[in-house]
Every structure is written in C-alpha cells, then in structure tokens.
Amino acid sequence: MIKDLIKSGIDEESKPYWDGLIDHKLLIQQCEDCQQSIFYPRSICPHCFSGQLSWFQANGTGSIYSFTIVHQGYGPFKGEPPYVVGIVELDEGVRMMTRIIGDKDEISIGKRVSVVYKEVEEDFVLPYFQLIA
Amino acid sequence: MKSERVAAIVGVAESDLGKTPGKNVLQLQAQAAKLALEDAGLTKHDVDAIFTAGNWAWAPNLMLAEYLGIQPKYTDSTNIGGSSFEAHVGHAAAGIKAGLFDVALITYGSTNRTKPTNSSFQSPLTAQYEIPYGLPTPVGAYALAATRHMHQYGTTSEQLAEIAVATRKWATLNEKAYMREPIEIADVLNSRFIAEPLHLLDCCLVSDGGGAVIVASNKVASKLKKKPVWILGHGESHSHNTITNMPDLTMTSARESGKAAFEMAGISHHEIDVAEIYDSFTITVLLTLEALGFCQPGEGGAFVSGQRTAPGGDFPMNTNGGGLSYCHPGMYGIFLLIEAVRQLRGECDVRQVSDANLALVHGTGGVLSSTSTVILGRD
Ligand SMILES: [Zn+2]
C-alpha cells in the first residue's frame, strides 16, 4: 500500500493538502507578507519567515521541469515500470513531484500539463499530471 | 597567498571492501582505524577527537568511541550523506586551528551490500510529498538532473559514458577495485536503463566497506615518519534535501563549497594535479566539474570527452576506480580522501599520477544535496 509509506507523516501541517486532494482540489499555500506561493506545506514562510500563511486552490496547470522514465520499480511500485516520474512547475511558481501520464514519447521538458486526480487507493488521491492537448 | 599549514592528514586506510559477510560496521571501522593509526605512526592513545557518520546507531559517535575504548575531548557526527567525511576533515582542521585537539580519527563503515541498515525513520516528514510517486532513490533524482542537463545543454549519454569508461580504466590499475574488466562506451549505452537517461553502468556499485583518516596538528604531523598531506582549503554547503527542491537541477552547491576551498587554499584550478570527485553516478561528476569551475556550465560533456579523465589523460580523476568501479558502500566520501592522500604521497604504483602535488577532493551527498570540498597538498 502506497499510503502506508507515508501515513505516519500526515499531520496537522500536511493534512489540509491531502484532504484537498480527496475533494479534487490542489491546495498550496501563500505567504500573506511576501505574497510568494509555497509548496510543500509549512508553518513558516521559507522566503521571509512570516508565520502568516494561507491555503488557496492552485489552478492545476504548469509545465514539465524534468522527468525520468523509471525502469526499476521497488516495494509497492515493483510491477509498474516503465512509468514516468516528473517535477512540474505550477503556474503559481512552485514545483512538485508527480507522475506524468499519457504517451511517453510525447513527454518533454517545458511542455504544458494539467492536474489529474488519481485515486491510487481508497481515500488516497495523488495529483498526477497529463499533457495539455 | 598560500594558506597556513596548520593541520594535515597523516594516516589513511581502508577496511576489507566489496563483500564482507560476517563483519559488522564496528569491526570494519575498528579495522580501518587501527590500520590508519599504524600508517600514521600513532596509537589510539593519541586520538583526542572522534568523527563518524552513519545510520547504524542513534548516536554513532557514542557507540563507536565506546567500542574503540576512546574518550574524546571533541566529537562530531555531522551527517550530510556521502560528503560527510570531507566536511569532517574541514571541521577537524578548524578545530585544530582553534587549538581544541591534536589528533582526530575519522571513520566510516558500512555493510550496505550484505546487510543494509534500516534507515526508515518514524515519520517521513517532508519526504511525504515525494515517496508516493515511486522515484527510486537516489538514482531517480540523479536521472531527473541528467534529463534537465541534456535538455538545457545538449549533453549526451555518450558523454556521460565517457566518465564510466575512464573510471573503469583506473580500476583496472587498482587491485582493490571490485570491477576491473575494461568497458567501452557502447557497453554503458547497452546496459539496461535504471531510470532514464541513466543506465546500470552510469551507476555506482553497492558494496560493503569502511575507511579511516587521521588528521593531526602541525605539531604532531611534523614529528611523524611519513610526509604530512596538508589541508590547504575546505568548504561545505547544502542546497536542498528533496530533489524537487533543488533550486537548479544543473547546478550543485559545489559552486559555493569549491569557491570557499580554492580561496582558502589560495590556488587556482589549473594547479590541481589530481581530482577525486564523488561519482555516485556519471552525472554527479559532470555537474560537479561544472559547479567547481573546471569548465563552464554546460561544458561538462565536452570536458570529459576523449577520455580526458582516464589514465594518461589531461585531467586524472577518480584514480582508484571510483564509486563506479572500485567500491561504494553508500557514503563514499572517505575513500576519495584516502586515494588523494596516497596519490600525494606517491604510493599508488601503476596508477600513480606523476608529480602529484595538489589534489582536490570533492564529496556530494544526498540527492545532489550536500557538497564539501577539500584541497590537499604535499610539502
Ligand atoms: Zn513570505
């Protein structure tokens, strides 16, 4: 089970993010003082150390910053390769790791992508991304 | 201006390497420590500072020092991954300069091949935003960097393979190396993909092994039989923990750690005679050469082409056969130091780099996360 790998890490700080995904919302944070977007969830702004952070729903679009086609799976991913793990830069300016789904031959750095809510297990949703046609 | 000669490496040794079934991490460290002290002409009673790093105990220094029967007056378990031991050398030099101790024992031991230690902590904390996607760690993170470098600069798999091939040539000259069969660029390209664009032969070995390095004050070093290898400059930095948060996948904090080391040593790049550069993956080396300033960003592929880093090349690098072909027990940094010292002492027999006076040693830890650079020189 994939959620089992991280469930001990889901706490007050990260829960709004994970709960948002179940509702098909990609929630990230913004600093009310310096206005910068923030991901992953924190209790303090890594840009200006402000404690005034608020949640907002990201647009769910961005571009591919980098990616790799994984051929060696492990643990719960063992039977899955090949699959694509990427880093996407959201239009709000933050990066997140993700799976990029769709035709592997079409994937390249800089291409536009949009979020797809993937229920990988019951009550556990991950934000995957697909190429925007 | 050349830096002051305050502290030197005076002893180095490896433990058994490769596969060491039946030996635990303390045995490996004890074995290396004893050999390194003998190499230095010192005893364990001379040691007044202890440095180690590992995930085999909650407080490794306590367990190791008790096992060895040493009560130190200075202790440091800085763990920033594979570059920890270059940082330890820097910290030891700083502590000696401050007059806090005279003889530091730095050790490492790992049974990563036969009996990997469990590094799973109670909570993944910030790793929870990466773990669910199935990126094999660390190779997947380095693959992300390689993809980006290829996109940005046109770097090719052939250029990365040049590093693996050249490093294997050095390994053929080192009887302690685990993989000694020569390979060609095509062998690297035809080996299976682990995480594209990295092939199996772009990746380091998985070994057991340990090592030890003795750092001593000028006062102690000048009385010993073997010539001291002076610590002329050092620097360290880290830029991120998770690969998603690396500010620029093509630029490591070697830019900062290298600059600090060169400035402290008061030397320039062309004066370096031999380089020992962390090679967890071929891309690690390429990014490091650029970040250290041996070439411009994007020129790393051309820099290593034509087997320039191989025996007989213009830029002798990873002369023991590296993590790619000699050994790699997970945190490889101590072996870079051991080889650099042997090169500067002229102890390397068939793989000896002629007139090796100045060496650069550079560790990279985590997922391109931490870097530490040490510049060493002989009298
Ligand atoms: Zn802020």
Side-chain angles (χ1 to χ4, degrees):
Chain A
M1 297 286 277
I2 294 167
K3 189 180 179 182
D4 288 345
L5 299 175
I6 64 155
K7 68 180 178 196
S8 67
I10 300 177
D11 56 15
E12 292 296 304
E13 191 172 58
S14 65
K15 199 168 180 297
Y17 169 73
W18 293 110
D19 286 350
L21 293 171
I22 291 172
D23 296 335
H24 287 198
K25 286 180 180 155
L26 183 57
L27 300 182
I28 63 173
Q29 292 172 305
Q30 185 175 33
C31 174
E32 292 177 11
D33 283 313
C34 75
Q35 311 302 321
Q36 298 227 48
S37 299
I38 297 165
F39 185 80
Y40 44 79
R42 289 174 169 88
S43 57
I44 194 166
C45 173
H47 306 288
C48 76
F49 252 35
S50 166
Q52 303 299 312
L53 309 186
S54 54
W55 289 93
F56 74 105
Q57 187 176 350
N59 192 40
T61 52
S63 56
I64 297 172
Y65 177 62
S66 194
F67 69 97
T68 177
I69 302 176
V70 175
H71 291 264
Q72 186 159 299
Y74 58 96
F77 313 103
K78 200 150 195 136
E80 280 193 63
Y83 55 85
V84 181
V85 178
I87 297 174
V88 162
E89 187 160 302
L90 296 186
D91 292 337
E92 288 81 3
V94 296
R95 290 182 194 153
M96 53 178 61
M97 187 170 284
T98 186
R99 283 282 183 93
I100 300 170
I101 56 175
D103 185 354
K104 288 180 192 56
D105 294 336
E106 293 297 312
I107 294 169
S108 63
I109 287 175
K111 281 203 174 165
R112 299 282 300 158
V113 288
S114 63
V115 70
V116 178
Y117 297 96
K118 170 78 176 173
E119 186 166 10
V120 292
E121 287 156 12
E122 195 181 347
D123 290 332
F124 188 57
V125 175
L126 292 173
Y128 285 8
F129 282 79
Q130 66 182 4
L131 295 174
I132 294 173
Chain B
M1 193 185 86
K2 299 281 187 196
S3 78
E4 281 177 273
R5 302 196 161 188
V6 176
I9 298 179
V10 298
V12 294
E14 298 126 315
S15 72
D16 293 346
L17 303 174
K19 291 180 198 164
T20 62
K23 282 219 166 85
N24 65 42
V25 296
L26 296 169
Q27 289 173 287
L28 293 172
Q29 289 177 92
Q31 184 193 20
K34 186 173 166 63
L35 291 170
L37 284 166
E38 283 169 12
D39 183 51
L42 292 167
T43 75
K44 79 136 178 151
H45 302 289
D46 297 308
V47 174
D48 53 3
I50 286 271
F51 295 69
T52 191
N55 62 3
W56 37 266
W58 77 275
N61 290 43
L62 301 187
M63 190 182 282
L64 179 75
E66 178 188 278
Y67 184 95
L68 297 177
I70 292 173
Q71 182 180 341
K73 61 182 181 186
Y74 193 93
T75 191
D76 179 337
S77 54
T78 298
N79 188 345
I80 50 172
S83 62
S84 298
F85 311 95
E86 283 71 35
H88 291 172
V89 166
H91 299 180
I96 287 170
K97 189 169 184 180
L100 302 178
F101 55 87
D102 281 301
V103 177
L105 167 65
I106 303 170
T107 66
Y108 171 63
S110 163
T111 53
N112 202 29
R113 183 166 185 114
T114 53
K115 203 175 175 188
T117 49
N118 185 358
S119 61
S120 63
F121 296 96
Q122 199 182 3
S123 167
L125 293 170
T126 61
Q128 68 186 280
Y129 310 103
E130 294 196 342
I131 288 169
Y133 301 102
L135 186 76
T137 301
V139 59
Y142 288 81
L144 288 167
T147 306
R148 182 77 201 180
H149 201 274
M150 289 175 168
H151 167 81
Q152 210 164 301
Y153 297 116
T155 304
T156 65
S157 290
E158 286 78 2
Q159 289 172 328
L160 292 179
E162 291 265 6
I163 295 166
V165 172
T167 308
R168 182 63 62 86
K169 286 179 186 165
W170 285 109
T172 66
L173 305 177
N174 181 4
E175 62 187 22
K176 288 182 181 165
Y178 195 75
M179 301 290 280
R180 300 187 65 197
E181 283 294 306
I183 53 171
E184 307 279 342
I185 286 175
D187 295 322
V188 182
L189 302 183
N190 292 331
S191 65
R192 66 188 165 89
F193 276 128
I194 305 296
E196 290 183 45
L198 299 181
H199 306 78
L200 179 66
L201 292 181
D202 286 299
C203 303
C204 64
L205 308 171
V206 178
S207 323
D208 298 332
V213 169
I214 313 292
V215 177
S217 62
N218 182 331
K219 186 180 74 184
V220 171
S222 56
K223 291 185 202 143
L224 300 175
K225 198 170 63 188
K226 284 195 178 177
K227 288 263 186 340
V229 170
W230 299 105
I231 301 161
L232 303 178
H234 56 89
E236 65 195 47
S237 187
H238 43 90
S239 53
H240 61 284
N241 177 53
T242 46
I243 194 65
T244 309
N245 292 286
M246 184 167 179
D248 176 347
L249 278 178
T250 66
M251 180 54 66
T252 80
S253 61
R255 181 173 54 190
E256 286 76 26
S257 64
K259 185 166 187 282
F262 273 109
E263 283 177 4
M264 192 185 293
I267 64 160
S268 53
H269 292 72
H270 71 267
E271 294 179 78
I272 297 293
D273 299 305
V274 57
E276 308 296 345
I277 293 188
Y278 206 94
D279 59 344
S280 44
F281 302 93
T282 51
I283 185 67
T284 319
V285 175
L286 192 134
L287 294 179
T288 301
L289 290 169
E290 294 180 2
L292 287 174
F294 283 105
C295 58
Q296 291 297 307
E299 292 178 355
F303 186 87
V304 300
S305 288
Q307 292 295 290
R308 286 191 64 235
T309 70
D314 305 337
F315 192 83
M317 181 184 80
N318 297 348
T319 50
N320 56 4
L324 290 169
S325 290
Y326 148 76
C327 86
H328 197 298
M331 290 163 68
Y332 172 69
I334 202 157
F335 302 101
L336 301 166
L337 293 158
I338 292 167
E339 177 66 7
V341 167
R342 288 178 177 157
Q343 285 287 347
L344 293 175
R345 285 172 170 177
E347 295 175 344
C348 287
D349 195 28
V350 289
R351 67 176 193 279
Q352 180 63 47
V353 173
S354 56
D355 300 321
N357 293 308
L358 287 166
L360 179 137
V361 181
H362 180 88
T364 303
V367 286
L368 294 162
S369 311
S370 70
T371 56
S372 38
T373 314
V374 176
I375 294 175
L376 300 172
R378 68 175 185 189
D379 280 320

